Amino acid sequence: MPEIRPRSTIVVTLLCIAGLAVAGVALAYCVHLGAQRDDDTGQSAAEFTYIPPNQAGLAADDVTPESDEVPEQLDTVRSKIMLCTIDKIGTDVLSVHTPDGRKHQLTLSPDTHVESAKGNEVADLTTGDLVVVRVIESDTATTVDLIVDGRVSSSIPDN
């Protein structure tokens, strides 16, 4: 005698597949509605407009001085955060290595800010310290903006 599958499992499977299809169509429709704009700018909802800091909060009919016009090409640089260990501290160069073994020569500037339990100067750091470094990368150099000592310090209760 051939094995007969219960009808309930087949029906439940078909209902689940139909439910997933309906949910997918509904999600696609919601995404489509979210991407449309009601204004006639022709700009996608995902695009943004650059507003200079001194123009934020101005009404649309306010006059913008020529000096505040949006530049054609914004001169931007890239920044990144690195977890690294200090190998050597020079007067204007910080030599570090990352956990994957890569070595970096980072340029120190007079504006480099240090956050450490030992002090707020680059001279307060020592070789072997674990630090988090925020660097600003430009075409010519990688400059350190912020150095945070990796040690976490906290007070002891009843102390």
Side-chain angles (χ1 to χ4, degrees), residues 10-157:
I10 295 172
V11 171
V12 169
T13 303
L14 290 175
L15 285 174
C16 288
I17 292 172
L20 287 173
V22 169
V25 169
L27 180 63
Y29 182 70
C30 290
V31 168
H32 172 70
L33 284 180
Q36 287 183 342
R37 292 181 63 120
D38 290 335
D39 56 8
D40 294 326
T41 61
Q43 183 181 25
S44 166
E47 293 179 27
F48 63 92
T49 303
Y50 172 77
I51 299 175
N54 59 350
Q55 293 296 309
L58 291 179
D61 57 348
D62 288 343
V63 178
T64 304
E66 282 186 29
S67 63
D68 293 334
E69 293 296 321
V70 178
E72 278 191 34
Q73 290 261 331
L74 296 175
D75 184 23
T76 58
V77 291
R78 210 174 103 202
S79 68
K80 67 180 179 178
I81 305 239
M82 300 169 44
L83 174 67
C84 48
T85 304
I86 297 176
D87 291 332
K88 183 179 175 187
I89 302 172
T91 55
D92 58 351
V93 175
L94 181 68
S95 300
V96 296
H97 70 273
T98 56
D100 62 358
R102 290 184 291 165
K103 295 185 180 286
H104 300 276
Q105 300 290 323
L106 308 173
T107 304
L108 296 171
S109 75
D111 296 329
T112 300
H113 185 70
V114 177
E115 291 286 331
S116 173
K118 296 186 272 183
N120 295 331
E121 300 293 326
V122 175
D124 297 327
L125 301 172
T126 58
T127 302
D129 281 353
L130 179 67
V131 293
V132 177
V133 179
R134 182 175 67 194
V135 295
I136 308 290
E137 292 181 336
S138 64
D139 294 336
T140 57
T142 304
T143 307
V144 178
D145 181 48
L146 173 68
I147 303 172
V148 179
D149 193 342
R151 284 187 293 278
V152 177
S153 59
S154 65
S155 62
I156 300 171

